[in-house]
Amino acid sequence: MTVDGVLDFDRAGTSADHSGSRLPVGFWFDQFVAACERDRRTTALSFVACHPEIATDEHLVAALGYEEFCWRLQAGERIDEEAFYAQFPDGGRLVKHHVCTHHYLSEHPSLMPGLQALPTRTEGTAPRSRKINWPVPGETVGGFELVEILGRGAFARVYLAEELALGRRRVVVKMAPGGDREANTLGKLQHPNIVPIHSVSFDASRGLTLICMPYLGRVTLHDVVGRLVGCGEVPRLGRELLSLMDEAAGEPAAEAADARIANGSYVDAVMHLWLQMAEALDYTNILGICHCDLKPSNVLIAGGGKPMLLDFNLSHDDKAVAPRLAGTLRYMAPELVRMVAEDANEAQEINPRSDIYSLAVMVYELLSGEHPFGELTHRKANAAAARELYARQQGPPRPLRERNADVDPGLVELLQRCLSFDPDGRPETGYLVAVELRFLMSSPTRFWGWVYLHRQAVAAALMAICAGAAIGGYALANLPPAAERQFLAALNARRQGDLPGALVRLDAAESKGYDAREIAGLRGELHFQLAKQAFSLGDLVGARDHCGEALDAGKTNWQTYFLRARAQFSLGEFNLALADAAKVDNKHPCNELDVLRGDCFCGLAQWNSAIREYCVAMDRGFASA
């Protein structure tokens, strides 16, 4: 598990030397390591003082500070951490992030392979570690000539490289021991908002897996959020977001800017980013994959402002029987934060709603420059910090419109649902988030926001034509087709809690030509919610039938099968319930399922089979009177 998102990779970058040339971050890092080996009295700040040209690169200074911390810890030195942080600019905020993650991973070595390479807090002796023979820029590994280090973490390095066999095309090569798991996940994913892979190879001499990916730039949302926090106020225009991206990259983007970002408001731009990331999440969820570590540093911003999910090293496949607990504390959903507070190594359940929550935290930060539940008082990311965050998550997030009055009430309401403490209160899939965002982005408030942003041009136009005619003509020209109006009405009915009315509107939209495939996801969700309502009211037939409709619409998750199986059992349809239970077992084996099967076999007077199922449940720790 990574905590506070800091041990992923340091921001890629370069620093200017005295002659004005630009040197890679990896060069300065290696120079510092060599200086420490020559003289253990060398500190990060003394090294920076000798090289003032790098003093303004806060990410590089933080990386050097963390390396100094490790050297001193290995030497058995007792470190006053608060005093150590205070030496650095901004109270050592970035250094502190690195150290907090270091402590957590050292205290939970079973969470990741290769973590034994980290120094521990054992005093008096340096820790035993497995030395990883990391290559350096200038070397050629696996057909890649390494140009510079883009980032480094506890158990991986990322390099900018040239692929010699393909005309020296520039690529990114991620090297890690045991990195084939991430490659296997990424190999399944082909989506415009997910960083793809070109190839995977293994360097036997170093014991490293090499994952080759296209070079799409070096700016992440982490860089954007960091600059947003430093601004002190939230931008008003979308082009200001592009400026933050260019500032993080150190140069203007070569690609043309996304028009939805450049020509709209800042809120519109953030919604556009959110929409693309939600659609990418929905794609991974369809394939049974949860990212499990969504945070700003794991969202690359490609040229023009295109968000792309990366780093699936902690991802969870629904075929895994015992999912690992993974994630970054400040972006974790409450149900996973509670596991951290209880010091568990395995999550009881991982589902897309946890990723929906993490994505919403990022969006809230982009819209406000602040975390929705405030900064924690605990300095170290441990069980105590998790308990503090978990307590805050049980209440509502901080009022977003107090920080950014440009945010529409409808957008606030969607964010609040995505940040719901109860997983069932969140949208189930990225698809449902995306359709609501499309509705909000097409609503009349967006038009008036455009009028405000272009008020000077509008004022000039109104001097020539009647204001009413101009606005009426705009509305008429942009009036959506009848099928789309019915679909938007269905979304509005769902937002107001009128689920049957939403289904009626969906039927009307389909009858007027709306693509049934586009409607299927929402239809399945509506039937599933109606099935839960019917079951809670004792309407077993209604629950069973609504589950059937949900399954027909493509909502074939284990929860739908399980709910129908429970309804069928209560109706005495034992064989049908067993058939659905078998489908659940393939997706989500659990104790409650064993008990349900045992009860069904009792109903069929198949006593030995019932005893077998009850014994399985008890062997797994489930026992009742």
Side-chain angles (χ1 to χ4, degrees):
M1 176 183 299
T2 54
V3 182
D4 270 332
V6 293
L7 209 56
D8 265 6
F9 303 105
D10 299 323
R11 181 179 68 87
T14 55
S15 299
D17 64 11
H18 290 298
S19 64
S21 62
R22 293 170 67 80
L23 295 172
V25 167
F27 168 83
W28 293 112
F29 193 91
D30 295 336
Q31 289 292 310
F32 175 66
V33 171
C36 290
E37 290 175 342
R38 291 192 302 269
D39 184 356
R40 285 300 181 105
R41 294 172 298 178
T42 302
T43 67
L45 293 178
S46 67
F47 181 82
V48 172
C50 294
H51 302 280
E53 61 271 27
I54 65 175
T56 58
D57 190 333
E58 59 179 0
H59 293 272
L60 174 56
V61 174
L64 300 180
Y66 172 66
E67 182 66 15
E68 177 192 343
F69 178 87
C70 291
W71 278 109
R72 292 169 62 177
L73 203 59
Q74 284 181 317
E77 180 179 341
R78 293 178 179 271
I79 302 176
D80 182 341
E81 293 185 13
E82 292 304 319
F84 181 76
Y85 303 145
Q87 304 174 80
F88 294 88
D90 194 23
R93 176 179 57 86
L94 293 176
V95 181
K96 187 183 305 182
H97 282 291
H98 286 290
V99 173
C100 287
T101 300
H102 165 95
H103 286 328
Y104 191 91
L105 294 176
S106 297
E107 292 163 2
H108 299 79
S110 64
L111 291 177
M112 282 289 177
L115 292 187
Q116 61 269 32
L118 286 172
T120 68
R121 283 192 265 194
T122 304
E123 293 158 356
T125 59
R128 291 176 294 177
S129 63
R130 178 173 63 84
K131 181 69 174 178
I132 299 177
N133 184 21
W134 296 111
V136 298
E139 291 188 58
T140 298
V141 181
F144 302 101
E145 184 175 312
L146 307 183
V147 177
E148 66 172 281
I149 297 178
L150 294 178
R152 65 184 75 222
F155 39 87
R157 296 286 188 274
V158 177
Y159 300 85
L160 176 62
E162 294 181 348
E163 192 168 6
L164 301 180
L166 291 173
R168 287 186 170 273
R169 70 169 177 178
R170 289 216 153 184
V171 295
V172 172
V173 179
K174 180 176 180 179
M175 301 187 188
D180 53 326
R181 182 178 183 274
E182 179 181 7
N184 289 335
T185 299
L186 279 172
K188 305 175 186 177
L189 307 177
Q190 300 293 326
H191 190 276
N193 295 107
I194 297 177
V195 176
I197 61 172
H198 289 325
S199 63
V200 180
S201 56
F202 183 73
D203 186 277
S205 64
R206 301 175 188 269
L208 296 174
T209 297
L210 281 60
I211 305 175
C212 175
M213 297 170 281
Y215 177 62
L216 301 170
R218 58 182 79 204
V219 179
T220 69
L221 271 186
H222 176 73
D223 302 305
V224 176
V225 171
R227 282 163 173 75
L228 184 62
V229 172
C231 288
E233 60 181 19
V234 181
R236 302 293 302 279
L237 303 175
R239 59 177 176 267
E240 295 180 71
L241 178 59
L242 292 172
S243 297
L244 291 175
M245 296 173 184
D246 292 344
E247 180 184 335
E251 57 186 5
E255 294 85 354
D258 188 325
R260 293 297 299 267
I261 297 177
N263 299 330
S265 70
Y266 177 76
V267 173
D268 285 335
V270 173
M271 291 173 70
H272 185 50
L273 296 181
W274 190 8
L275 172 66
Q276 295 175 79
M277 292 186 286
E279 290 178 336
L281 270 188
D282 181 58
Y283 171 78
T284 65
N285 297 155
I286 290 174
L287 297 179
I289 297 170
C290 292
H291 189 285
C292 297
D293 195 22
L294 283 174
K295 56 190 173 187
S297 59
N298 282 344
V299 179
L300 180 74
I301 303 298
K306 181 180 182 180
M308 304 190 73
L309 305 186
L310 53 81
D311 199 346
F312 282 76
N313 190 47
L314 299 181
S315 63
H316 165 67
D317 192 303
D318 63 3
K319 295 181 177 60
V321 176
R324 294 178 302 167
L325 179 61
T328 301
L329 187 59
R330 66 184 283 117
Y331 297 99
M332 287 175 70
E335 59 272 17
L336 300 182
V337 172
R338 180 171 61 86
M339 295 291 99
V340 178
E342 296 173 355
D343 203 21
N345 286 332
E346 292 182 358
Q348 293 179 345
E349 177 183 337
I350 291 178
N351 63 59
R353 285 189 170 103
S354 299
D355 281 347
I356 295 295
Y357 184 96
S358 301
L359 184 54
V361 175
M362 288 194 290
V363 172
Y364 186 102
E365 286 186 330
L366 282 172
L367 290 172
S368 69
E370 299 174 351
H371 190 275
F373 299 99
E375 298 301 322
L376 300 179
T377 57
H378 288 85
R379 298 295 185 182
K380 298 174 184 176
N382 51 23
R387 287 192 292 271
E388 179 186 357
L389 178 57
Y390 186 71
R392 295 188 187 183
Q393 289 174 325
Q394 296 180 51
R398 302 163 81 176
L400 179 57
R401 284 175 60 82
E402 290 183 3
R403 188 72 178 86
N404 188 342
D406 293 340
V407 180
D408 302 332
L411 182 57
V412 172
E413 191 270 338
L414 175 58
L415 261 178
Q416 287 177 335
R417 279 192 286 115
C418 291
L419 293 171
S420 171
F421 179 78
D422 180 4
D424 289 338
R426 302 172 209 148
E428 186 180 11
T429 64
Y431 169 79
L432 294 176
V433 175
V435 294
E436 291 209 41
L437 283 170
R438 290 189 185 281
F439 170 72
L440 290 170
M441 294 168 72
S442 64
S443 66
T445 55
R446 305 261 65 79
F447 168 69
W448 291 112
W450 180 91
V451 169
Y452 176 77
L453 288 172
H454 302 84
R455 52 192 179 277
Q456 292 181 338
V458 171
L462 290 179
M463 293 176 63
I465 58 175
C466 172
I471 297 174
Y474 180 93
L476 183 61
N478 291 275
L479 187 65
E484 185 174 344
R485 292 201 301 273
Q486 292 294 341
F487 180 67
L488 295 177
L491 290 177
N492 192 44
R494 179 186 178 276
R495 287 166 54 82
Q496 296 175 1
D498 181 11
L499 304 184
L503 283 172
V504 171
R505 294 290 191 178
L506 279 186
D507 291 339
E510 186 174 356
S511 69
K512 294 181 181 298
Y514 207 97
D515 191 339
R517 293 170 298 180
E518 295 289 331
I519 291 176
L522 182 56
R523 188 190 300 281
E525 171 66 14
L526 291 170
H527 276 296
F528 179 66
Q529 295 299 330
L530 286 169
K532 290 199 298 184
Q533 290 182 8
F535 191 86
S536 65
L537 296 173
D539 180 7
L540 302 175
V541 173
R544 178 197 62 191
D545 293 347
H546 277 300
C547 282
E549 293 284 355
L551 292 168
D552 290 342
K555 190 175 180 60
T556 55
N557 59 342
W558 68 267
Q559 293 97 330
T560 310
Y561 281 114
F562 191 39
L563 181 58
R564 188 167 71 168
R566 292 174 63 192
Q568 288 166 337
F569 165 75
S570 299
L571 291 168
E573 300 171 350
F574 303 124
N575 285 317
L576 293 175
L578 285 171
D580 276 348
K583 295 171 183 175
V584 176
D585 201 24
N586 293 332
K587 297 173 176 286
H588 186 79
C590 59
N591 297 330
E592 293 82 355
L593 187 62
D594 299 325
V595 173
L596 177 63
R597 280 198 293 244
D599 292 343
C600 287
F601 284 125
C602 283
L604 294 170
Q606 298 179 19
W607 313 116
N608 289 331
S609 296
I611 291 172
R612 183 183 67 246
E613 296 295 339
Y614 292 140
C615 287
V616 170
M618 288 189 289
D619 289 343
R620 289 179 174 174
F622 185 90
S624 66

